[in-house]
Amino acid sequence: MPEATATTQPRTHWSGTADQTELDRWQSIAEGVARELAVDVLERDRANVDPRRELQLLRDSGLVNLLDPAELGGGGAHWETAFLVIRTLSRVDASVAQVLAYHYINKSNISFLVPRDQQAEWYRATIEGQWFWGDSVNPVDPDLQLTPDAGGWRLNGVKHFSTGASVGDRILISAAVTGGDRDGQLVLFVIPADAAGVEPLGDWDALGQRLSASGSVRYTDVAVTEADLLGELTEEPFANLITPGIQLAFSNLYLGVAQGALEQARDLTRARKNAWFLSSADLYRNDPFVQRVFGEFVARVEAVEALADKVGRRFDAVVELGDAVAFETRGAIEVDIAKLKIVSTEVGIDVANRVFEVTGSSSAKASVGLDLFWRNIRTHSLHDPVDYKKLEVGAHFLNGEFQPISLYT
């Protein structure tokens, strides 16, 4: 990486890696928020309403500005810390953790896409306003139209899976320009969530992640100005670290779900007074078959956690490279994260499903809510097929190949 001089700056404010003091501080804050979320997590899930009160908890805690520059009033933390926060919240409420994860990724486009000398203006506004950033970026749903109009553009169309758009303060949107000087460009821009012509449709109807505010949004003649633009989406490797970042966030979300399911299952099992009638054990928790299954779960979850910590720290090191990030550098971290995505998905789904085997029939009561973990991870893990992550890893292992840059690879 070229040394910064009086006329050059590093690409972003992120440098180095998190120390233990930073990690401990923000994890403690996240655990405090998680305790508040845990009080009525099941009731809120069943109510299936947008998480406005929950987002205010995140604002009040400071988590909303965790990754922002400290000199401008932000938390000054690293990506490893952000992923730990997502994991911690997911142990209790994966829906809220998802909204926060997407917010971190959406807002980070300030650093990944905007020239360094223009970033401070964006950061000051979002820090002072405690903006939550939702999005309408779903790459498999490209049906938005951005057309020139009176020195700016008009946005029209419907975007599905717009996480956080109905509850956030700002919406990050991707659309291709049709006509004018930017004809054919795929651009990212940011508009107020309450701008005229923005209509959340409230059609999120999934079995899990019910409070992730991931419904569709209709845009009707929404005004977009030059000042709203973050930049053009290209294949520049550093700017496209955004995809490995979101995949790493997903992986930590799944890990957190597995940890949460395991913790609740342990509590339920320890509370049972009797063993199965054919068992020689005095208590259910002393049954060797029960202990064997828990032993398997603990070992697999902790192995995923070790890999998540390792890859999270490596991501910070890649981000610090800035303009020195080459296609191969980005490809290598993407492959590492794909490995984590594979095991976090499969272990998470397996644990959230099979904990019922060792908690007994009473754990299937609706009032217990143990199903929330499985419903959440089963829903979100369909975001993109894990088989394609296996393809990424296998193609690189066998042939040294990297997949083309995209919003999924």
Side-chain angles (χ1 to χ4, degrees):
M1 176 178 175
E3 184 178 353
T5 67
T7 57
T8 65
Q9 289 181 299
R11 184 73 175 262
T12 78
H13 63 280
W14 293 305
S15 64
T17 54
D19 60 24
Q20 197 59 47
T21 299
E22 176 186 319
L23 291 166
D24 289 346
R25 176 196 172 200
W26 289 105
Q27 183 173 24
S28 177
I29 291 171
E31 287 172 345
V33 172
R35 284 192 293 272
E36 293 191 57
L37 293 172
V39 171
D40 58 352
V41 61
L42 193 57
E43 292 81 359
R44 290 184 293 103
D45 173 78
R46 289 173 177 166
N48 197 23
V49 297
D50 280 347
R52 297 184 183 280
R53 180 177 66 85
E54 294 85 343
L55 265 58
Q56 191 58 47
L57 286 175
L58 299 176
R59 290 188 183 93
D60 294 342
S61 69
L63 290 175
V64 68
N65 293 328
L66 170 77
L67 284 168
D68 301 341
E71 64 271 20
L72 298 177
H78 294 83
W79 281 99
E80 181 184 4
T81 305
F83 297 132
L84 179 59
V85 165
I86 293 164
R87 186 193 313 172
T88 302
L89 296 180
S90 296
R91 294 171 188 164
V92 171
D93 192 331
S95 289
V96 173
Q98 178 186 337
V99 178
L100 182 63
Y102 282 50
H103 161 78
Y104 286 153
I105 294 297
N106 294 335
K107 193 192 329 189
S108 70
N109 280 285
I110 296 173
S111 287
F112 286 122
L113 204 59
V114 177
R116 184 63 188 275
D117 61 359
Q118 299 173 29
Q119 292 175 15
E121 182 178 357
W122 279 98
Y123 274 119
R124 285 193 185 96
T126 190
I127 292 169
E128 292 172 6
Q130 291 190 309
W131 291 348
F132 242 98
W133 289 48
D135 70 67
S136 280
V137 181
N138 178 17
V140 297
D141 183 26
D143 296 332
L144 294 184
Q145 300 172 354
L146 194 62
T147 54
D149 178 74
W153 299 268
R154 290 286 173 176
L155 176 69
N156 285 278
V158 175
K159 196 76 162 179
H160 303 289
F161 302 106
S162 295
T163 296
S166 61
V167 293
D169 303 287
R170 293 296 184 274
I171 307 175
L172 177 75
I173 303 174
S174 65
V177 179
T178 301
D181 295 341
R182 292 181 179 268
D183 183 54
Q185 289 186 9
L186 183 62
V187 295
L188 273 182
F189 53 97
V190 182
I191 63 170
D194 60 357
V198 176
E199 180 189 1
L201 299 182
D203 57 356
W204 181 239
D205 183 29
L207 63 87
Q209 296 301 98
R210 291 176 176 173
L211 271 71
S212 65
S214 292
S216 306
V217 179
R218 177 181 289 116
Y219 300 96
T220 305
D221 287 332
V222 178
V224 179
T225 70
E226 190 76 30
D228 299 323
L229 293 185
L230 282 182
E232 180 185 3
L233 291 174
T234 68
E235 292 191 353
E236 194 258 331
F238 179 80
N240 281 280
L241 286 175
I242 202 73
T243 298
I246 192 65
Q247 293 291 325
L248 191 44
F250 293 167
S251 299
N252 278 275
L253 190 148
Y254 302 161
L255 171 57
V257 168
Q259 291 173 327
L262 194 54
E263 289 167 6
Q264 185 176 0
R266 178 187 59 194
D267 294 342
L268 291 169
T269 302
R270 288 180 60 83
R272 296 194 64 169
K273 295 181 179 179
N274 301 312
W276 179 242
F277 77 100
L278 293 177
S279 175
S280 61
D282 56 340
L283 296 172
Y284 205 77
R285 70 188 189 210
N286 291 331
D287 186 297
F289 292 108
V290 172
Q291 292 179 346
R292 187 201 70 78
V293 174
F294 271 107
E296 174 194 341
F297 288 167
V298 170
R300 293 170 68 195
V301 169
E302 291 194 8
V304 175
E305 183 177 33
L307 182 57
D309 289 342
K310 176 182 177 181
V311 178
R313 177 152 295 213
R314 188 175 298 167
F315 184 74
D316 271 315
V318 173
V319 168
E320 185 181 18
L321 293 174
D323 289 324
V325 174
F327 175 78
E328 292 74 17
T329 312
R330 182 200 178 276
I333 191 66
E334 169 65 19
V335 169
D336 285 343
I337 293 170
K339 297 172 189 174
L340 174 63
K341 180 74 177 299
I342 293 165
V343 295
S344 65
T345 301
E346 296 188 341
V347 171
I349 291 173
D350 195 38
V351 169
N353 174 32
R354 290 179 54 210
V355 287
F356 289 94
E357 298 173 11
V358 287
T359 52
S361 58
S362 61
S363 67
K365 292 181 179 179
S367 59
V368 173
L370 187 59
D371 63 303
L372 179 60
F373 298 102
W374 180 85
R375 288 191 289 105
N376 282 341
I377 193 170
R378 181 66 283 177
T379 298
H380 194 279
S381 62
L382 300 174
H383 180 89
D384 55 307
V386 73
D387 278 343
Y388 283 88
K389 292 300 168 190
K390 294 177 181 179
L391 182 152
E392 282 188 59
V393 174
H396 182 260
F397 181 76
L398 290 173
N399 303 319
E401 296 175 358
F402 295 121
Q403 299 306 299
I405 287 177
S406 77
L407 290 176
Y408 283 105
T409 56

